[in-house]
C-alpha cells in the first residue's frame, strides 16, 4: 500500500507530494509543526497538541488554515488513507507561498502539509537499558516555547549526540542548567525520590508528554518539583529520563559518560513509563 500525504487540500501519493519553491517554510523555516502519537487508532492528547499548535501560530502571527474541527477530520482521513492505527501524524503549517522577502507578505495563504507513519517499535531492551545523553551549550533562540520548524540547532545537537553514540543531546543554558533535549524534555529523580523537570517558560518546549507525565505523576502521589537542575546534579541523580511523543518516558542511564544510578532504567522512570503507556493506550488519552 502506498503512503498518502495531505498537501494544501489534496491527498497525494507520498512520493509525489511537493510544495512550491517559494513556500516560506522552505525558504525561511517560517512555520510551525506538531507530531501527535496514534495509539489504537486514537490521537494521543489531541486537544493539547491542537492547543499548542494554535498558540505557536498565534505567537508567529500565522493564520490558522482551518478550524480545529476541520483539522481533526483531515487528520483522521490521513490516518484512514494510510491505515495507521499505531504510529504518528506530522502536521506542518507555514506562512505560505510568496516572493522571497523577509517581511511578511501582504497577503498569504497558510500552507498545510500532513503525513502519517506507522510506529517504529522501540526495542524492549532500550526501555530496560535506557539511553545515553550528551550535554551541549544551548545555542537556540529565546522562544523555544514555539514549536517552530526552524530546528537547525536541534538537528546539529542530535547529530553530535548520534556521532558520539548517544541517543539524545541535552541543551545547557549559560547558568549551567539543563533546558531540554534536542527533541525531548529532560527530567531527573533526586536521591530522596523527587521528580524534577524544568518549569515551562520561553526556554523550553512545553512538551505535551511532559504535561501528561506531570499530571500522572501527581495523580499517583509521586513528589514533583518544576525547577531547573544543573549537569552535576543530573550526573549525581538517582535516575534521569526524557519524555516526548515518540520516546514516551525513556530512562537516561549515562550523561557525558557518567553512569546514572546502577546503569539500568530505575523504578521511578519505569513506573512513570508504565503510567504513561497505560494512559496513552487507554481512554484518558482523549483529553
Ligand atoms: N519533538 N522539546 C523539543 C525541543 C521537542 O522538539 C519535543 C518534541 C519535545 C517533547 O514534546 P512532546 O512531548 O509534545 O512531543 C520537547 C517532536 C516529537 C519532534 O520534533 O519530532
Amino acid at each position: 500500500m502506498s503512503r498518502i500525504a495531505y498537501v494544501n487540500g489534496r491527498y497525494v501519493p507520498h512520493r509525489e507530494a511537493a510544495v512550491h519553491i517559494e513556500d516560506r517554510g522552505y525558504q525561511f523555516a517560517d512555520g510551525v509543526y506538531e507530531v501527535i502519537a496514534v495509539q489504537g487508532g486514537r490521537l494521543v492528547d489531541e486537544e493539547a497538541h491542537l492547543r499548542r499548535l494554535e498558540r505557536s501560530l498565534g505567537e508567529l502571527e500565522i493564520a490558522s488554515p482551518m478550524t480545529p474541527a476541520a483539522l481533526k477530520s483531515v487528520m483522521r482521513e490521513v490516518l484512514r488513507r494510510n491505515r495507521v492505527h499505531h504510529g504518528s501524524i506530522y502536521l506542518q503549517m507555514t506562512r505560505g507561498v510568496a516572493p522571497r522577502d523577509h517581511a511578511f507578505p501582504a497577503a498569504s495563504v497558510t500552507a498545510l502539509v500532513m503525513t502519517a507513519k506507522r510506529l517504529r517499535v522501540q526495542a524492549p531492551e532500550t526501555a530496560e537499558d535506557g539511553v545515553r545523553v550528551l550535554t551541549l551549550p544551548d545555542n537556540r533562540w529565546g522562544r523555544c516555547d514555539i514549536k517552530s520548524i526552524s530546528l537547525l540547532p536541534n538537528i546539529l545537537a542530535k547529530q553530535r549526540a548520534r556521532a558520539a553514540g548517544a541517543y539524545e543531546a541535552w541543551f545547557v543554558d549559560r547558568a549551567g542548567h539543563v533546558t531540554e533535549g534536542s527533541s525531548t524534555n529532560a527530567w531527573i529523580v533526586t536521591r530522596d525520590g523527587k521528580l524534577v523537570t524544568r518549569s515551562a517558560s520561553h526556554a523550553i518546549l512545553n512538551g505535551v508528554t511532559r504535561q501528561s507525565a506531570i499530571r500522572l505523576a501527581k495523580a499517583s502521589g509521586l513528589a514533583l518539583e518544576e525547577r531547573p537542575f544543573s549537569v552535576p546534579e543530573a550526573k549525581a541523580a538517582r535516575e534521569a529520563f526524557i519524555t516526548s511523543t515518540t520516546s514516551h518516558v525513556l530512562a537516561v542511564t549515562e550523561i557525558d559518560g557518567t553512569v546514572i544510578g546502577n546503569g539500568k532504567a530505575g523504578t521511578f522512570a519505569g513506573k512513570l513509563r508504565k503510567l504513561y503507556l497505560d494512559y496513552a493506550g487507554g481512554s484518558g488519552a482523549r483529553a
Side-chain angles (χ1 to χ4, degrees), residues 33-36 49 52 90 140 144 147 151 154 168 171 180-186 204-211 243-248 276:
Y33 76 106
E34 281 293 330
V35 182
I36 309 178
H49 280 283
R52 185 171 66 187
Y90 175 81
R140 299 174 301 162
C144 298
K147 200 160 171 61
L151 289 170
N154 306 61
E168 178 60 303
F171 287 121
E180 63 180 330
S182 70
S183 65
T184 59
N185 288 114
I204 65 164
L205 184 77
N206 189 2
V208 169
T209 320
R210 172 192 177 280
Q211 295 169 48
T243 56
S244 81
T245 294
T246 46
S247 294
H248 313 302
Y276 180 76

Side-chain angles (χ1 to χ4, degrees), residues 9-208:
R10 295 171 58 223
Y11 296 92
V12 292
H14 193 275
R15 62 179 178 280
E16 290 164 22
V19 293
H20 195 279
I21 56 166
E22 284 192 313
D23 186 292
R24 289 177 63 94
Y26 179 61
Q27 292 192 323
F28 295 116
D30 185 4
V32 300
Y33 76 106
E34 281 293 330
V35 182
I36 309 178
V38 181
Q39 293 269 1
R42 275 203 320 271
L43 289 140
V44 179
D45 283 330
E46 179 180 27
E47 297 298 335
H49 280 283
L50 292 184
R51 273 198 301 277
R52 185 171 66 187
L53 179 66
E54 284 298 318
R55 182 176 179 280
S56 296
L57 288 171
E59 293 297 316
L60 299 183
E61 297 173 47
I62 296 175
S64 190
M66 56 177 72
T67 64
L71 205 54
K72 285 180 186 176
S73 84
V74 174
M75 287 197 286
R76 278 156 184 75
E77 186 61 15
V78 169
L79 293 181
R80 193 186 67 75
R81 289 188 187 231
N82 288 284
R83 296 191 198 155
V84 171
H85 294 282
H86 294 283
S88 61
I89 191 155
Y90 175 81
L91 63 98
Q92 173 175 311
M93 294 176 180
T94 71
R95 205 180 304 275
V97 176
R100 188 176 182 280
D101 178 16
H102 285 62
F104 297 173
S108 64
V109 178
T110 302
L112 169 59
V113 164
M114 258 187 237
T115 55
K117 67 177 177 196
R118 294 195 180 145
L119 191 69
R120 261 185 315 155
V121 179
Q122 201 172 63
E125 61 269 22
T126 307
E128 255 314 286
D129 294 343
V131 294
R132 292 195 193 127
V133 157
L134 181 81
T135 65
L136 291 172
D138 197 337
N139 57 357
R140 299 174 301 162
W141 73 325
R143 292 304 307 273
C144 298
D145 56 311
I146 300 170
K147 200 160 171 61
S148 149
I149 58 171
S150 177
L151 289 170
L152 212 37
N154 306 61
I155 63 168
L156 293 175
K158 186 78 90 185
Q159 182 55 32
R160 287 270 300 275
R162 294 287 160 87
Y167 177 86
E168 178 60 303
W170 276 5
F171 287 121
V172 180
D173 68 15
R174 289 190 184 168
H177 293 130
V178 173
T179 48
E180 63 180 330
S182 70
S183 65
T184 59
N185 288 114
W187 299 63
I188 57 168
V189 182
T190 60
R191 292 265 149 212
D192 59 351
K194 280 197 196 92
L195 307 188
V196 180
T197 194
R198 197 173 171 121
S199 51
S201 69
H202 287 178
I204 65 164
L205 184 77
N206 189 2
V208 169

